[in-house]
Amino acid sequence: MGDLAAAQSYLWLIVVLPLLGAAVNGLIGRRLGKANVAGIAIGVMVAAFVLSVIAFSWALAGETLHFKGGTWFRVPGPDGRALIDVSWGFFVDRLSGTLALIVTGVGSLIHVYAASYMSHEDDFGYARFFTYLNLFVAAMMTLVLGDSLVLTFVGWEGVGLCSYLLIGFWYSDQQKAYCGRKAFVTNRIGDFGFLIGLFALLAVFGTVEYGAMSHAVHGASAETVLGAGVFSGKTLGWALTFATLGLFVGCAGKSAQLPLYVWLPDAMAGPTPVSALIHAATMVTAGVYLVARTSFLFALAPASMAVVTMIGALTAVVAAAIAFAQNDIKKVLAYSTVSQLGFMFIGVGAGVYFAGVMHLVTHAFFKACLFLGAGSVMHGMHEDTDIRNMGGLWSKMPHTAKTFGIATLAITGIVPLSGFFSKDAILAGALFSENHAYPWVGKAAYVLGTLAAAGTAFYMVRCFALTFAGKARTEAAKHAHESSSLMTVPLWVLAALSVVALVLGLPEFEVFGPLGEVFGKFMHPVFAQAGEILGEHEHVVLWPFLVAWGIAVAMGWLAWQMYAGAWRGVPERLTRALPGLYRFTLDKFRVDELYDVFPIGFVRGLAWWLWRLVDAFAIDGVLVNGVARFCGSLARAFRVFQNGDAQRYAAVIAIAAAVILWTVVGVGGH
């Protein structure tokens, strides 16, 4: 593994290499040609992945790598000493190391896929796309490897900017440009909450470095913090709850949770590699990572954990219900992503941190495979995304169909694929979780999560059946073709990872022997402090896994029968029988329309009245135009006496002299 000090000294290269690739392609990429642009972009990603593997090998051995930079900025106090001293640095432990592997590894595969998928772009567009893609990875690695909330926030804003650029990549299309702006603005709302939480923690601890905050609360418990309310001279009870809820608002924006989830489905307007990278494997999981990273703080705020759990559970159900009626293949996968992120938040909110992070890992594999598979289908169908126009693609696109089928089984939760073990570990953990302040939360999340899991099995099998099973329903489907090997090889790699990742999640049952709880044991040092605060509890029992498997099989079978089997007429009859409900679901519960009324309509109306009162009346009307009109009127009055008429001047002088004489002599004479 080499020398630890040497490994630490090169951590910054994991961030700088993609940044360098973005700089080269951004400045001279249009003159290099597509092959060289792709070579540079993929090369820096592979190099960053190799460095991430080296760093992860040290984390696997139990070491924590920490590259310490200098002081970033300092706020002096009244006595001249530093009141706030923020330094910068990168660190790799088992959590950040795992995320680094996901971002650089899956990111490298997506870069290879994109080299073929985006080949129709001109030289400028091709270089611009890979510039944005490399820049995004650099920002994401800053977020993951940053050793403080401040540096995490820098990466947080960076991925927000890059997502705007990538979603609106085809900006000449007004609708696609609008989708990019929508994602940017919605994320800014969440980011405001992140800043509030960051400043609150800075006020409490005087630092936001993860290690320093962890050390400050070491040995504390939720009861002592909330009961006494004072810790190291600082009021912590409400402060920690307020701060962690602020951080979660940021997480809800970035990870598309209620009520800030509306940007992610519209983000499908971007190129498919963007959907796979940003909205499956990396950016949308940033919120889950942040809650897991600050688990020692959330564990001291039971109310915040309850909010995280319930928002995740409600999001999982609502998004799954909307996905039932969607006909755009990327929209189905988008709402599926929102739902699966809800599962991850159930895990980290219920204190089953390893399961939430494990689902993040497995989801990166099978959802990236699904999105890239959808892109392959679109490529073969001449960019048609409506699954009602497909059918029969199994024989036309065998590699895409098989890999899409494997990923579908994984996300559905069918044994022995990885999704079964990660998702069902979350549900089992939530059922037996112990939030002492809110004991009902775990059971409520289990019920809602089970409903969402049933929905996942139904809508994913529906999507697969309408796309690949049966006969071709249009001419485009009849003449569909398989994609190039540059696109299908990454699909097979991701499909294989969706299968082999099951080893990480095998529960600690006797049948699995020493393989049980591989990922849980691996992540235990990261979440040990939160575990001590919450109290260790045993929740590995078999029946929740069997129930979840039975539900997945039943709902998957039902969907197959309704869309590819003997009951194929049932969906149409249900649509005719319940047209209002179908339309309401197809319209995504009209949440966007509701937001157009409030808060968007309200803010626009308020802005209009403020413009009328402040800008038009007070500033333009009174201060600017009003003063000008007054001066103009005054000038016109004086102009009456100064019009160039000498006789009038003489008359005025005579009258003025008479008045003066009368005043002085006449009045004086009395």
Side-chain angles (χ1 to χ4, degrees):
M1 290 187 292
D3 181 67
L4 177 61
Q8 289 183 146
S9 65
Y10 290 113
L11 280 182
W12 57 277
L13 279 174
I14 301 177
V15 175
V16 170
L17 281 171
L19 192 62
L20 183 62
V24 172
N25 281 332
L27 293 173
I28 60 173
R30 72 182 74 181
R31 295 192 292 272
L32 295 177
K34 293 181 181 179
N36 290 324
V37 166
I40 291 170
I42 295 170
V44 296
M45 285 297 301
V46 172
F49 175 66
V50 171
L51 290 174
S52 298
V53 170
I54 295 172
F56 182 77
S57 66
W58 283 99
L60 196 62
E63 300 286 349
T64 297
L65 282 70
H66 195 177
F67 174 80
K68 296 183 179 180
T71 297
W72 190 0
F73 61 87
R74 180 182 290 109
V75 179
D79 57 357
R81 291 183 299 178
L83 184 64
I84 298 173
D85 192 339
V86 177
S87 59
W88 67 275
F90 300 113
F91 83 116
V92 173
D93 63 357
R94 294 185 175 189
L95 177 60
S96 57
T98 300
L99 266 292
L101 288 183
I102 295 295
V103 174
T104 57
V106 176
S108 296
L109 293 173
I110 293 171
H111 275 67
V112 172
Y113 178 97
S116 174
Y117 187 89
M118 300 299 292
S119 59
H120 62 280
E121 292 287 329
D122 58 24
D123 288 348
F124 173 68
Y126 199 78
R128 183 166 61 91
F129 179 79
F130 278 102
T131 296
Y132 295 162
L133 219 56
N134 275 167
L135 187 62
F136 171 84
V137 173
M140 189 67 197
M141 293 311 300
T142 303
L143 187 158
V144 169
L145 300 182
D147 65 350
S148 71
L149 275 172
V150 175
L151 200 55
T152 295
F153 185 73
V154 172
W156 194 273
E157 291 300 290
V159 295
L161 170 64
C162 293
S163 68
Y164 162 73
L165 296 172
L166 287 165
I167 294 166
F169 179 76
W170 290 311
Y171 56 84
S172 57
D173 185 322
Q174 291 299 313
Q175 182 60 32
K176 296 181 187 298
Y178 166 78
C179 291
R181 293 195 303 272
K182 182 178 181 180
F184 189 79
V185 172
T186 306
N187 273 273
R188 296 294 73 72
I189 297 171
D191 295 349
F192 183 68
F194 189 118
L195 278 175
I196 291 174
L198 189 155
F199 290 139
L201 291 173
L202 199 58
V204 171
F205 297 109
T207 179
V208 284
E209 187 178 342
Y210 297 120
M213 290 190 294
S214 175
H215 180 74
V217 299
H218 182 69
S221 67
E223 289 77 9
T224 58
V225 169
L226 294 177
V230 176
F231 182 79
S232 298
K234 302 287 186 180
T235 301
L236 268 193
W238 287 103
L240 274 185
T241 301
F242 178 77
T244 49
L245 285 177
L247 293 181
F248 180 64
V249 171
C251 298
K254 198 67 71 186
S255 294
Q257 298 296 285
L258 289 172
L260 300 177
Y261 71 94
V262 292
W263 68 269
L264 194 147
D266 285 350
M268 298 302 107
T272 297
V274 174
S275 303
L277 179 64
I278 296 181
H279 308 121
T282 54
M283 183 180 115
V284 293
T285 60
V288 181
Y289 169 76
L290 182 61
V291 175
R293 181 85 277 163
T294 56
S295 58
F296 56 89
L297 296 177
F298 276 87
L300 292 170
S304 298
M305 292 191 67
V307 169
V308 172
T309 305
M310 290 309 299
I311 291 294
L314 290 170
T315 302
V317 172
V318 170
I322 294 175
F324 266 60
Q326 300 307 305
N327 298 311
D328 185 304
I329 188 170
K330 289 179 71 176
K331 283 289 180 69
V332 174
L333 298 180
Y335 281 106
S336 171
T337 298
V338 176
S339 184
Q340 298 305 306
L341 289 166
F343 278 100
M344 297 175 207
F345 277 110
I346 293 174
V348 295
V352 199
Y353 298 104
F354 85 91
V357 176
M358 181 170 64
H359 197 52
L360 184 158
V361 173
T362 59
H363 178 266
F365 298 147
F366 55 67
K367 184 54 65 66
C369 183
L370 288 169
F371 268 119
L372 295 184
S376 180
V377 169
M378 291 165 58
H379 187 71
M381 288 284 296
H382 306 291
E383 300 307 312
D384 190 352
T385 61
D386 195 328
I387 56 178
R388 295 171 297 183
N389 297 334
M390 300 176 188
L393 296 185
W394 180 275
S395 59
K396 304 290 185 181
M397 309 177 72
H399 293 289
T400 301
K402 290 172 184 176
T403 53
F404 200 97
I406 292 171
T408 297
L409 292 176
I411 192 174
T412 298
I414 299 298
V415 176
L417 281 80
S418 58
F420 167 79
F421 296 104
S422 60
K423 184 166 62 178
D424 296 344
I426 290 173
L427 295 178
L431 179 61
F432 296 104
S433 65
E434 297 178 9
N435 188 321
H436 299 294
Y438 306 94
W440 53 270
V441 167
K443 294 176 177 58
Y446 172 77
V447 173
L448 293 173
T450 301
L451 290 174
T456 301
F458 187 89
Y459 68 69
M460 283 307 306
V461 173
R462 168 184 177 267
C463 180
F464 180 85
L466 288 176
T467 304
F468 296 102
K471 297 180 180 179
R473 291 185 286 276
T474 60
E475 286 300 315
K478 291 178 182 177
H479 297 95
H481 59 85
E482 185 60 277
S483 302
S484 68
S485 58
L486 277 177
M487 295 171 68
T488 57
V489 169
L491 288 176
W492 277 111
V493 174
L494 290 167
L497 290 172
S498 299
V499 177
V500 300
L502 71 91
V503 177
L504 299 176
L506 296 175
E508 202 166 8
F509 301 141
E510 290 184 6
V511 66
F512 298 126
L515 288 177
E517 292 282 299
V518 171
F519 198 76
K521 293 173 181 175
F522 172 69
M523 282 291 173
H524 183 266
V526 178
F527 303 122
Q529 187 173 354
E532 292 174 2
I533 297 170
L534 297 173
E536 301 290 345
H537 55 274
E538 187 67 34
H539 62 263
V540 183
V541 293
L542 182 60
W543 69 263
F545 288 83
L546 295 178
V547 169
W549 177 80
I551 289 173
V553 170
M555 293 302 291
W557 176 83
L558 178 63
W560 184 264
Q561 291 298 316
M562 291 175 66
Y563 292 97
W567 303 345
R568 274 176 288 185
V570 172
E572 187 177 349
R573 290 197 294 271
L574 286 174
T575 301
R576 289 199 301 266
L578 301 167
L581 179 61
Y582 171 73
R583 193 72 220 177
F584 186 59
T585 308
L586 184 63
D587 290 343
K588 301 164 287 187
F589 298 157
R590 302 196 180 114
V591 174
D592 284 309
E593 289 79 359
L594 175 63
Y595 286 177
D596 282 339
V597 176
F598 185 85
I600 295 172
F602 172 77
V603 171
R604 281 178 176 168
L606 181 63
W608 187 86
W609 279 108
L610 287 173
W611 168 74
R612 293 291 301 167
L613 291 172
V614 178
D615 284 67
F617 175 73
I619 297 176
D620 292 340
V622 177
L623 295 179
V624 179
N625 296 330
V627 171
R629 289 192 188 99
F630 174 76
C631 293
S633 300
L634 194 63
R636 281 192 297 272
F638 281 108
R639 197 162 58 234
V640 173
F641 304 102
Q642 297 187 23
N643 63 350
D645 188 342
Q647 291 179 339
R648 181 176 295 182
Y649 291 167
V652 170
I653 291 171
I655 293 170
V659 171
I660 293 170
L661 286 172
W662 180 81
T663 303
V664 174
V665 177
V667 176
H670 289 290

